[in-house]
Amino acid sequence: MVTIDPFAAIADPNRRHLLEELRRAPRTVNELAEGLPISRPAVSQHLKALLDANLVSVTAEGTRRIYAVNTKGFVKLNLWIDQFWS
């Protein structure tokens, strides 16, 4: 698994939208794709980038894959941003 820079991962507006949706509740690719003007395969690619940045997690329920925000993955982002407030 390749880990990508979380800042690069959230640079894309579609990925930020996915994170906002997942913040509300865990969802499947199909559920997430309903709210975006991009295809389900494109949503899967965006989720892969978020997974590689450790910003989301995925669990399998039968044949469904449920995506959720991985709050631990935001530590690096929070530490960098927090330096500007102290």
Side-chain angles (χ1 to χ4, degrees):
M1 180 172 146
V2 174
T3 302
I4 66 168
D5 180 11
F7 289 100
I10 63 171
D12 184 280
N14 289 314
R15 293 180 193 153
R16 289 193 306 271
H17 177 79
L18 291 172
L19 286 170
E20 290 168 9
E21 291 298 313
L22 292 173
R23 183 178 55 86
R24 292 178 181 87
R27 300 217 168 110
T28 64
V29 172
N30 288 337
E31 292 167 338
L32 290 165
E34 290 173 4
L36 286 172
I38 59 175
S39 67
R40 278 180 271 165
V43 170
S44 292
Q45 289 177 338
H46 285 300
L47 288 169
K48 171 84 167 80
L50 293 171
L51 274 168
D52 289 346
N54 202 29
L55 298 176
V56 299
S57 60
V58 63
T59 56
E61 287 184 9
T63 59
R64 297 172 23 148
R65 293 171 54 101
I66 311 296
Y67 291 86
V69 169
N70 178 17
T71 55
K72 292 178 184 177
F74 285 87
V75 170
K76 183 177 179 180
L77 294 170
N78 288 337
L79 289 172
W80 190 84
I81 291 170
D82 284 348
Q83 72 182 332
F84 296 98
W85 303 113
S86 27

